[in-house]
Amino acid sequence: MLRLPVRIDLIHLKPRRNPTMDKSNPYASPRSDVTRPAPTAVDSTSPFDPNGRFTRLSWLAWSLVLGFVGSVVVAALVVILGLLGLVAMPQPDAAPNAAVPIVGMIAMGIPYLIMAVLGVILTIRRFHDINASGWWCLMFIVPLANLIAFLVLLFKRGDDAANRFGPPRPTASWEQVVGIIYIVLIVLGFVGGIIAAITMPALVDYQAHGMH
C-alpha cells in the first residue's frame, strides 16, 4: 500500500498573539481599553463642572444666561444698597457713614467675582471640547490674544468623538435657541459699533458747526 508523506509544519501551528491579549497567556481573551469612554457615552457632568465639555452653542447659551442673571443680581444689590444708604443718612445735613461705601464695595464685588469664576469654568469646558487645555483661558487676560481666543472658541468645531477630556456633550434644544440669539446679538453689536464709529465724527462735527 502506497503511503503519502505527511509533513506537519509546527511553525504554522504556533498561535499568533493578539496585541491586546495578555502576553503571559496567549489564549486569554482580549482586554478592553478602559482609559477612554465608550463611543456611545455622553458627557453628563454639571454645566459648572470644569472637567466636562461644551459645544459652541452650549457655551454661548450659558454665557448669556450667566450674564443676564448676574446683571439682575447686581441691579438688585444696587437698589438694596441705595435703600440702606437712605436709612443710614435720614437727614440731609447728617454726616456720611463711612461704613456704607465699604460694605457697598464688598457687596458689589462678590457677584462680580462669582460671575468671573463661573465664566472661566464655562470657557474651560469649551476649550476641552476642542481637545485643548483649560489653561488657554489665560489668553483672555492678554489684549488682542483674548479676541483671537474668543474667535477660535466661536468658530472651531469640537470633537465629535471622545477626546482626552471625556465624551462629547449633547447640546440641549434651549441651548441651541439661546446660543443663536447670542450670536445675533454679537452681530448686531458689531454692526452697531461700526455704524457708530462712522457716524459719530460727522455728528460731532455737525454739532460743532451748529454751535457757531
Side-chain angles (χ1 to χ4, degrees), residues 30-63:
R31 296 180 178 178
S32 60
D33 186 5
V34 296
T35 59
R36 287 185 176 272
T40 57
V42 294
D43 182 6
S44 58
T45 59
S46 168
F48 299 106
D49 185 351
N51 297 317
R53 292 172 53 178
F54 256 167
T55 61
R56 291 171 291 183
L57 291 180
S58 297
W59 173 59
L60 291 174
W62 281 98
S63 298

PDB file of all heavy atoms in Angstrom, residues 30-63:
ATOM      1  N   PRO A  30      -9.133  39.070  24.735  1.00  0.00           N
ATOM      2  CA  PRO A  30      -8.575  40.418  24.570  1.00  0.00           C
ATOM      3  C   PRO A  30      -9.073  41.360  25.667  1.00  0.00           C
ATOM      4  O   PRO A  30     -10.220  41.283  26.108  1.00  0.00           O
ATOM      5  CB  PRO A  30      -9.097  40.850  23.189  1.00  0.00           C
ATOM      6  CG  PRO A  30      -9.463  39.576  22.500  1.00  0.00           C
ATOM      7  CD  PRO A  30      -9.893  38.629  23.576  1.00  0.00           C
ATOM      8  N   ARG A  31      -8.178  42.231  26.078  1.00  0.00           N
ATOM      9  CA  ARG A  31      -8.528  43.227  27.091  1.00  0.00           C
ATOM     10  C   ARG A  31      -9.068  44.483  26.433  1.00  0.00           C
ATOM     11  O   ARG A  31      -8.576  44.909  25.401  1.00  0.00           O
ATOM     12  CB  ARG A  31      -7.302  43.576  27.936  1.00  0.00           C
ATOM     13  CG  ARG A  31      -6.766  42.411  28.764  1.00  0.00           C
ATOM     14  CD  ARG A  31      -5.551  42.857  29.558  1.00  0.00           C
ATOM     15  NE  ARG A  31      -5.051  41.776  30.406  1.00  0.00           N
ATOM     16  CZ  ARG A  31      -3.980  41.895  31.177  1.00  0.00           C
ATOM     17  NH1 ARG A  31      -3.296  43.047  31.193  1.00  0.00           N
ATOM     18  NH2 ARG A  31      -3.581  40.894  31.921  1.00  0.00           N
ATOM     19  N   SER A  32     -10.075  45.060  27.043  1.00  0.00           N
ATOM     20  CA  SER A  32     -10.646  46.306  26.527  1.00  0.00           C
ATOM     21  C   SER A  32      -9.888  47.487  27.096  1.00  0.00           C
ATOM     22  O   SER A  32      -9.368  47.433  28.209  1.00  0.00           O
ATOM     23  CB  SER A  32     -12.133  46.408  26.895  1.00  0.00           C
ATOM     24  OG  SER A  32     -12.277  46.392  28.300  1.00  0.00           O
ATOM     25  N   ASP A  33      -9.855  48.567  26.310  1.00  0.00           N
ATOM     26  CA  ASP A  33      -9.179  49.787  26.741  1.00  0.00           C
ATOM     27  C   ASP A  33     -10.156  50.611  27.564  1.00  0.00           C
ATOM     28  O   ASP A  33     -11.110  51.187  27.041  1.00  0.00           O
ATOM     29  CB  ASP A  33      -8.710  50.583  25.511  1.00  0.00           C
ATOM     30  CG  ASP A  33      -7.870  51.787  25.899  1.00  0.00           C
ATOM     31  OD1 ASP A  33      -7.584  51.938  27.105  1.00  0.00           O
ATOM     32  OD2 ASP A  33      -7.499  52.574  25.006  1.00  0.00           O
ATOM     33  N   VAL A  34      -9.922  50.641  28.878  1.00  0.00           N
ATOM     34  CA  VAL A  34     -10.822  51.360  29.779  1.00  0.00           C
ATOM     35  C   VAL A  34     -10.370  52.786  30.009  1.00  0.00           C
ATOM     36  O   VAL A  34     -10.987  53.517  30.780  1.00  0.00           O
ATOM     37  CB  VAL A  34     -10.923  50.623  31.133  1.00  0.00           C
ATOM     38  CG1 VAL A  34     -11.541  49.260  30.958  1.00  0.00           C
ATOM     39  CG2 VAL A  34      -9.549  50.504  31.797  1.00  0.00           C
ATOM     40  N   THR A  35      -9.306  53.205  29.347  1.00  0.00           N
ATOM     41  CA  THR A  35      -8.822  54.578  29.530  1.00  0.00           C
ATOM     42  C   THR A  35      -9.690  55.582  28.791  1.00  0.00           C
ATOM     43  O   THR A  35      -9.675  56.762  29.116  1.00  0.00           O
ATOM     44  CB  THR A  35      -7.376  54.700  29.061  1.00  0.00           C
ATOM     45  OG1 THR A  35      -7.301  54.331  27.668  1.00  0.00           O
ATOM     46  CG2 THR A  35      -6.468  53.777  29.874  1.00  0.00           C
ATOM     47  N   ARG A  36     -10.420  55.152  27.792  1.00  0.00           N
ATOM     48  CA  ARG A  36     -11.307  56.036  27.046  1.00  0.00           C
ATOM     49  C   ARG A  36     -12.747  55.571  27.213  1.00  0.00           C
ATOM     50  O   ARG A  36     -13.018  54.389  27.294  1.00  0.00           O
ATOM     51  CB  ARG A  36     -10.947  56.063  25.555  1.00  0.00           C
ATOM     52  CG  ARG A  36      -9.670  56.838  25.252  1.00  0.00           C
ATOM     53  CD  ARG A  36      -9.440  56.926  23.770  1.00  0.00           C
ATOM     54  NE  ARG A  36      -8.278  57.731  23.453  1.00  0.00           N
ATOM     55  CZ  ARG A  36      -8.310  59.036  23.278  1.00  0.00           C
ATOM     56  NH1 ARG A  36      -9.459  59.681  23.378  1.00  0.00           N
ATOM     57  NH2 ARG A  36      -7.217  59.718  22.990  1.00  0.00           N
ATOM     58  N   PRO A  37     -13.697  56.519  27.223  1.00  0.00           N
ATOM     59  CA  PRO A  37     -15.101  56.132  27.361  1.00  0.00           C
ATOM     60  C   PRO A  37     -15.600  55.410  26.119  1.00  0.00           C
ATOM     61  O   PRO A  37     -15.004  55.479  25.051  1.00  0.00           O
ATOM     62  CB  PRO A  37     -15.812  57.481  27.561  1.00  0.00           C
ATOM     63  CG  PRO A  37     -14.888  58.486  26.946  1.00  0.00           C
ATOM     64  CD  PRO A  37     -13.508  57.964  27.172  1.00  0.00           C
ATOM     65  N   ALA A  38     -16.707  54.742  26.280  1.00  0.00           N
ATOM     66  CA  ALA A  38     -17.308  54.035  25.158  1.00  0.00           C
ATOM     67  C   ALA A  38     -17.744  55.021  24.085  1.00  0.00           C
ATOM     68  O   ALA A  38     -18.049  56.178  24.376  1.00  0.00           O
ATOM     69  CB  ALA A  38     -18.506  53.216  25.642  1.00  0.00           C
ATOM     70  N   PRO A  39     -17.776  54.578  22.805  1.00  0.00           N
ATOM     71  CA  PRO A  39     -18.165  55.503  21.733  1.00  0.00           C
ATOM     72  C   PRO A  39     -19.555  56.088  21.915  1.00  0.00           C
ATOM     73  O   PRO A  39     -19.840  57.175  21.430  1.00  0.00           O
ATOM     74  CB  PRO A  39     -18.074  54.633  20.477  1.00  0.00           C
ATOM     75  CG  PRO A  39     -17.146  53.512  20.842  1.00  0.00           C
ATOM     76  CD  PRO A  39     -17.376  53.259  22.306  1.00  0.00           C
ATOM     77  N   THR A  40     -20.435  55.368  22.596  1.00  0.00           N
ATOM     78  CA  THR A  40     -21.806  55.860  22.783  1.00  0.00           C
ATOM     79  C   THR A  40     -21.965  56.698  24.047  1.00  0.00           C
ATOM     80  O   THR A  40     -23.059  57.166  24.334  1.00  0.00           O
ATOM     81  CB  THR A  40     -22.777  54.673  22.839  1.00  0.00           C
ATOM     82  OG1 THR A  40     -22.375  53.775  23.898  1.00  0.00           O
ATOM     83  CG2 THR A  40     -22.764  53.907  21.513  1.00  0.00           C
ATOM     84  N   ALA A  41     -20.907  56.896  24.819  1.00  0.00           N
ATOM     85  CA  ALA A  41     -21.005  57.657  26.062  1.00  0.00           C
ATOM     86  C   ALA A  41     -21.162  59.141  25.768  1.00  0.00           C
ATOM     87  O   ALA A  41     -20.706  59.644  24.734  1.00  0.00           O
ATOM     88  CB  ALA A  41     -19.758  57.426  26.924  1.00  0.00           C
ATOM     89  N   VAL A  42     -21.837  59.828  26.664  1.00  0.00           N
ATOM     90  CA  VAL A  42     -22.039  61.271  26.544  1.00  0.00           C
ATOM     91  C   VAL A  42     -21.624  61.928  27.852  1.00  0.00           C
ATOM     92  O   VAL A  42     -21.597  61.295  28.911  1.00  0.00           O
ATOM     93  CB  VAL A  42     -23.503  61.618  26.217  1.00  0.00           C
ATOM     94  CG1 VAL A  42     -23.880  61.110  24.849  1.00  0.00           C
ATOM     95  CG2 VAL A  42     -24.442  61.065  27.282  1.00  0.00           C
ATOM     96  N   ASP A  43     -21.307  63.197  27.764  1.00  0.00           N
ATOM     97  CA  ASP A  43     -20.911  63.964  28.935  1.00  0.00           C
ATOM     98  C   ASP A  43     -22.168  64.339  29.724  1.00  0.00           C
ATOM     99  O   ASP A  43     -23.033  65.064  29.233  1.00  0.00           O
ATOM    100  CB  ASP A  43     -20.155  65.220  28.493  1.00  0.00           C
ATOM    101  CG  ASP A  43     -19.675  66.043  29.674  1.00  0.00           C
ATOM    102  OD1 ASP A  43     -19.824  65.586  30.824  1.00  0.00           O
ATOM    103  OD2 ASP A  43     -19.142  67.144  29.448  1.00  0.00           O
ATOM    104  N   SER A  44     -22.261  63.852  30.949  1.00  0.00           N
ATOM    105  CA  SER A  44     -23.410  64.142  31.805  1.00  0.00           C
ATOM    106  C   SER A  44     -23.011  64.986  33.009  1.00  0.00           C
ATOM    107  O   SER A  44     -23.740  65.017  34.000  1.00  0.00           O
ATOM    108  CB  SER A  44     -24.049  62.833  32.281  1.00  0.00           C
ATOM    109  OG  SER A  44     -23.100  62.032  32.991  1.00  0.00           O
ATOM    110  N   THR A  45     -21.875  65.663  32.934  1.00  0.00           N
ATOM    111  CA  THR A  45     -21.422  66.480  34.051  1.00  0.00           C
ATOM    112  C   THR A  45     -22.249  67.759  34.150  1.00  0.00           C
ATOM    113  O   THR A  45     -22.944  68.155  33.212  1.00  0.00           O
ATOM    114  CB  THR A  45     -19.943  66.839  33.889  1.00  0.00           C
ATOM    115  OG1 THR A  45     -19.765  67.551  32.645  1.00  0.00           O
ATOM    116  CG2 THR A  45     -19.076  65.601  33.888  1.00  0.00           C
ATOM    117  N   SER A  46     -22.153  68.416  35.297  1.00  0.00           N
ATOM    118  CA  SER A  46     -22.851  69.681  35.510  1.00  0.00           C
ATOM    119  C   SER A  46     -22.268  70.757  34.596  1.00  0.00           C
ATOM    120  O   SER A  46     -21.070  70.725  34.277  1.00  0.00           O
ATOM    121  CB  SER A  46     -22.709  70.100  36.979  1.00  0.00           C
ATOM    122  OG  SER A  46     -23.130  71.434  37.168  1.00  0.00           O
ATOM    123  N   PRO A  47     -23.088  71.712  34.149  1.00  0.00           N
ATOM    124  CA  PRO A  47     -22.551  72.800  33.312  1.00  0.00           C
ATOM    125  C   PRO A  47     -21.441  73.596  33.990  1.00  0.00           C
ATOM    126  O   PRO A  47     -20.644  74.242  33.306  1.00  0.00           O
ATOM    127  CB  PRO A  47     -23.783  73.667  33.037  1.00  0.00           C
ATOM    128  CG  PRO A  47     -24.943  72.747  33.203  1.00  0.00           C
ATOM    129  CD  PRO A  47     -24.550  71.787  34.274  1.00  0.00           C
ATOM    130  N   PHE A  48     -21.385  73.555  35.313  1.00  0.00           N
ATOM    131  CA  PHE A  48     -20.361  74.301  36.037  1.00  0.00           C
ATOM    132  C   PHE A  48     -19.277  73.377  36.595  1.00  0.00           C
ATOM    133  O   PHE A  48     -18.588  73.729  37.550  1.00  0.00           O
ATOM    134  CB  PHE A  48     -21.006  75.113  37.160  1.00  0.00           C
ATOM    135  CG  PHE A  48     -21.999  76.124  36.660  1.00  0.00           C
ATOM    136  CD1 PHE A  48     -23.358  75.909  36.813  1.00  0.00           C
ATOM    137  CD2 PHE A  48     -21.584  77.267  36.014  1.00  0.00           C
ATOM    138  CE1 PHE A  48     -24.282  76.825  36.343  1.00  0.00           C
ATOM    139  CE2 PHE A  48     -22.493  78.194  35.527  1.00  0.00           C
ATOM    140  CZ  PHE A  48     -23.851  77.973  35.702  1.00  0.00           C
ATOM    141  N   ASP A  49     -19.133  72.209  35.965  1.00  0.00           N
ATOM    142  CA  ASP A  49     -18.055  71.289  36.307  1.00  0.00           C
ATOM    143  C   ASP A  49     -16.910  71.534  35.319  1.00  0.00           C
ATOM    144  O   ASP A  49     -17.072  71.344  34.113  1.00  0.00           O
ATOM    145  CB  ASP A  49     -18.545  69.847  36.208  1.00  0.00           C
ATOM    146  CG  ASP A  49     -17.504  68.847  36.680  1.00  0.00           C
ATOM    147  OD1 ASP A  49     -16.344  69.256  36.922  1.00  0.00           O
ATOM    148  OD2 ASP A  49     -17.844  67.661  36.815  1.00  0.00           O
ATOM    149  N   PRO A  50     -15.727  71.947  35.783  1.00  0.00           N
ATOM    150  CA  PRO A  50     -14.631  72.249  34.848  1.00  0.00           C
ATOM    151  C   PRO A  50     -14.053  71.037  34.157  1.00  0.00           C
ATOM    152  O   PRO A  50     -13.202  71.192  33.281  1.00  0.00           O
ATOM    153  CB  PRO A  50     -13.578  72.911  35.756  1.00  0.00           C
ATOM    154  CG  PRO A  50     -13.861  72.395  37.114  1.00  0.00           C
ATOM    155  CD  PRO A  50     -15.345  72.195  37.184  1.00  0.00           C
ATOM    156  N   ASN A  51     -14.493  69.841  34.510  1.00  0.00           N
ATOM    157  CA  ASN A  51     -13.957  68.630  33.904  1.00  0.00           C
ATOM    158  C   ASN A  51     -14.724  68.193  32.669  1.00  0.00           C
ATOM    159  O   ASN A  51     -14.330  67.215  32.029  1.00  0.00           O
ATOM    160  CB  ASN A  51     -13.950  67.487  34.926  1.00  0.00           C
ATOM    161  CG  ASN A  51     -13.046  67.772  36.099  1.00  0.00           C
ATOM    162  OD1 ASN A  51     -11.938  68.269  35.926  1.00  0.00           O
ATOM    163  ND2 ASN A  51     -13.511  67.478  37.309  1.00  0.00           N
ATOM    164  N   GLY A  52     -15.814  68.873  32.333  1.00  0.00           N
ATOM    165  CA  GLY A  52     -16.632  68.454  31.204  1.00  0.00           C
ATOM    166  C   GLY A  52     -16.322  69.214  29.934  1.00  0.00           C
ATOM    167  O   GLY A  52     -15.304  69.888  29.801  1.00  0.00           O
ATOM    168  N   ARG A  53     -17.245  69.091  28.974  1.00  0.00           N
ATOM    169  CA  ARG A  53     -17.086  69.725  27.660  1.00  0.00           C
ATOM    170  C   ARG A  53     -18.329  70.539  27.328  1.00  0.00           C
ATOM    171  O   ARG A  53     -19.412  70.289  27.840  1.00  0.00           O
ATOM    172  CB  ARG A  53     -16.858  68.653  26.585  1.00  0.00           C
ATOM    173  CG  ARG A  53     -15.542  67.925  26.701  1.00  0.00           C
ATOM    174  CD  ARG A  53     -15.451  66.746  25.735  1.00  0.00           C
ATOM    175  NE  ARG A  53     -15.737  67.133  24.354  1.00  0.00           N
ATOM    176  CZ  ARG A  53     -15.686  66.287  23.322  1.00  0.00           C
ATOM    177  NH1 ARG A  53     -15.368  65.013  23.534  1.00  0.00           N
ATOM    178  NH2 ARG A  53     -15.947  66.699  22.106  1.00  0.00           N
ATOM    179  N   PHE A  54     -18.136  71.527  26.438  1.00  0.00           N
ATOM    180  CA  PHE A  54     -19.219  72.386  25.972  1.00  0.00           C
ATOM    181  C   PHE A  54     -19.082  72.594  24.467  1.00  0.00           C
ATOM    182  O   PHE A  54     -17.992  72.915  23.988  1.00  0.00           O
ATOM    183  CB  PHE A  54     -19.174  73.750  26.658  1.00  0.00           C
ATOM    184  CG  PHE A  54     -20.208  73.943  27.729  1.00  0.00           C
ATOM    185  CD1 PHE A  54     -20.116  75.001  28.607  1.00  0.00           C
ATOM    186  CD2 PHE A  54     -21.283  73.085  27.861  1.00  0.00           C
ATOM    187  CE1 PHE A  54     -21.060  75.195  29.597  1.00  0.00           C
ATOM    188  CE2 PHE A  54     -22.232  73.264  28.846  1.00  0.00           C
ATOM    189  CZ  PHE A  54     -22.115  74.323  29.712  1.00  0.00           C
ATOM    190  N   THR A  55     -20.177  72.430  23.744  1.00  0.00           N
ATOM    191  CA  THR A  55     -20.180  72.801  22.334  1.00  0.00           C
ATOM    192  C   THR A  55     -20.265  74.315  22.205  1.00  0.00           C
ATOM    193  O   THR A  55     -20.406  75.040  23.192  1.00  0.00           O
ATOM    194  CB  THR A  55     -21.370  72.155  21.615  1.00  0.00           C
ATOM    195  OG1 THR A  55     -22.591  72.638  22.214  1.00  0.00           O
ATOM    196  CG2 THR A  55     -21.324  70.645  21.719  1.00  0.00           C
ATOM    197  N   ARG A  56     -20.189  74.802  20.985  1.00  0.00           N
ATOM    198  CA  ARG A  56     -20.204  76.256  20.770  1.00  0.00           C
ATOM    199  C   ARG A  56     -21.506  76.883  21.252  1.00  0.00           C
ATOM    200  O   ARG A  56     -21.491  77.893  21.969  1.00  0.00           O
ATOM    201  CB  ARG A  56     -19.983  76.546  19.278  1.00  0.00           C
ATOM    202  CG  ARG A  56     -18.584  76.225  18.788  1.00  0.00           C
ATOM    203  CD  ARG A  56     -18.482  76.310  17.282  1.00  0.00           C
ATOM    204  NE  ARG A  56     -19.222  75.226  16.635  1.00  0.00           N
ATOM    205  CZ  ARG A  56     -19.252  75.034  15.317  1.00  0.00           C
ATOM    206  NH1 ARG A  56     -18.589  75.845  14.516  1.00  0.00           N
ATOM    207  NH2 ARG A  56     -19.929  74.042  14.795  1.00  0.00           N
ATOM    208  N   LEU A  57     -22.635  76.303  20.857  1.00  0.00           N
ATOM    209  CA  LEU A  57     -23.915  76.893  21.241  1.00  0.00           C
ATOM    210  C   LEU A  57     -24.170  76.745  22.740  1.00  0.00           C
ATOM    211  O   LEU A  57     -24.768  77.632  23.362  1.00  0.00           O
ATOM    212  CB  LEU A  57     -25.037  76.244  20.434  1.00  0.00           C
ATOM    213  CG  LEU A  57     -25.063  76.579  18.941  1.00  0.00           C
ATOM    214  CD1 LEU A  57     -26.220  75.868  18.251  1.00  0.00           C
ATOM    215  CD2 LEU A  57     -25.172  78.089  18.722  1.00  0.00           C
ATOM    216  N   SER A  58     -23.730  75.637  23.334  1.00  0.00           N
ATOM    217  CA  SER A  58     -23.897  75.474  24.777  1.00  0.00           C
ATOM    218  C   SER A  58     -23.083  76.523  25.530  1.00  0.00           C
ATOM    219  O   SER A  58     -23.558  77.105  26.515  1.00  0.00           O
ATOM    220  CB  SER A  58     -23.468  74.067  25.198  1.00  0.00           C
ATOM    221  OG  SER A  58     -24.285  73.083  24.604  1.00  0.00           O
ATOM    222  N   TRP A  59     -21.880  76.757  25.072  1.00  0.00           N
ATOM    223  CA  TRP A  59     -21.020  77.758  25.711  1.00  0.00           C
ATOM    224  C   TRP A  59     -21.634  79.147  25.601  1.00  0.00           C
ATOM    225  O   TRP A  59     -21.681  79.906  26.582  1.00  0.00           O
ATOM    226  CB  TRP A  59     -19.641  77.715  25.056  1.00  0.00           C
ATOM    227  CG  TRP A  59     -18.710  78.797  25.483  1.00  0.00           C
ATOM    228  CD1 TRP A  59     -18.281  79.064  26.751  1.00  0.00           C
ATOM    229  CD2 TRP A  59     -18.098  79.770  24.642  1.00  0.00           C
ATOM    230  NE1 TRP A  59     -17.435  80.142  26.759  1.00  0.00           N
ATOM    231  CE2 TRP A  59     -17.298  80.590  25.474  1.00  0.00           C
ATOM    232  CE3 TRP A  59     -18.128  80.025  23.273  1.00  0.00           C
ATOM    233  CZ2 TRP A  59     -16.548  81.650  24.965  1.00  0.00           C
ATOM    234  CZ3 TRP A  59     -17.374  81.072  22.773  1.00  0.00           C
ATOM    235  CH2 TRP A  59     -16.605  81.871  23.610  1.00  0.00           C
ATOM    236  N   LEU A  60     -22.127  79.498  24.417  1.00  0.00           N
ATOM    237  CA  LEU A  60     -22.741  80.814  24.232  1.00  0.00           C
ATOM    238  C   LEU A  60     -24.020  80.945  25.058  1.00  0.00           C
ATOM    239  O   LEU A  60     -24.277  82.007  25.649  1.00  0.00           O
ATOM    240  CB  LEU A  60     -23.033  81.042  22.745  1.00  0.00           C
ATOM    241  CG  LEU A  60     -21.817  81.210  21.829  1.00  0.00           C
ATOM    242  CD1 LEU A  60     -22.257  81.278  20.376  1.00  0.00           C
ATOM    243  CD2 LEU A  60     -21.031  82.456  22.198  1.00  0.00           C
ATOM    244  N   ALA A  61     -24.824  79.884  25.083  1.00  0.00           N
ATOM    245  CA  ALA A  61     -26.089  79.945  25.809  1.00  0.00           C
ATOM    246  C   ALA A  61     -25.859  80.155  27.300  1.00  0.00           C
ATOM    247  O   ALA A  61     -26.472  81.037  27.926  1.00  0.00           O
ATOM    248  CB  ALA A  61     -26.890  78.670  25.562  1.00  0.00           C
ATOM    249  N   TRP A  62     -24.982  79.371  27.894  1.00  0.00           N
ATOM    250  CA  TRP A  62     -24.744  79.505  29.328  1.00  0.00           C
ATOM    251  C   TRP A  62     -24.028  80.811  29.658  1.00  0.00           C
ATOM    252  O   TRP A  62     -24.238  81.379  30.736  1.00  0.00           O
ATOM    253  CB  TRP A  62     -23.951  78.308  29.827  1.00  0.00           C
ATOM    254  CG  TRP A  62     -24.806  77.095  30.037  1.00  0.00           C
ATOM    255  CD1 TRP A  62     -24.974  76.048  29.188  1.00  0.00           C
ATOM    256  CD2 TRP A  62     -25.643  76.830  31.157  1.00  0.00           C
ATOM    257  NE1 TRP A  62     -25.855  75.140  29.699  1.00  0.00           N
ATOM    258  CE2 TRP A  62     -26.278  75.589  30.926  1.00  0.00           C
ATOM    259  CE3 TRP A  62     -25.910  77.503  32.345  1.00  0.00           C
ATOM    260  CZ2 TRP A  62     -27.168  75.020  31.831  1.00  0.00           C
ATOM    261  CZ3 TRP A  62     -26.794  76.933  33.252  1.00  0.00           C
ATOM    262  CH2 TRP A  62     -27.406  75.716  32.994  1.00  0.00           C
ATOM    263  N   SER A  63     -23.213  81.304  28.758  1.00  0.00           N
ATOM    264  CA  SER A  63     -22.569  82.607  28.978  1.00  0.00           C
ATOM    265  C   SER A  63     -23.610  83.723  28.993  1.00  0.00           C
ATOM    266  O   SER A  63     -23.540  84.641  29.834  1.00  0.00           O
ATOM    267  CB  SER A  63     -21.521  82.868  27.889  1.00  0.00           C
ATOM    268  OG  SER A  63     -20.494  81.899  27.929  1.00  0.00           O
TER     269      SER A  63
END
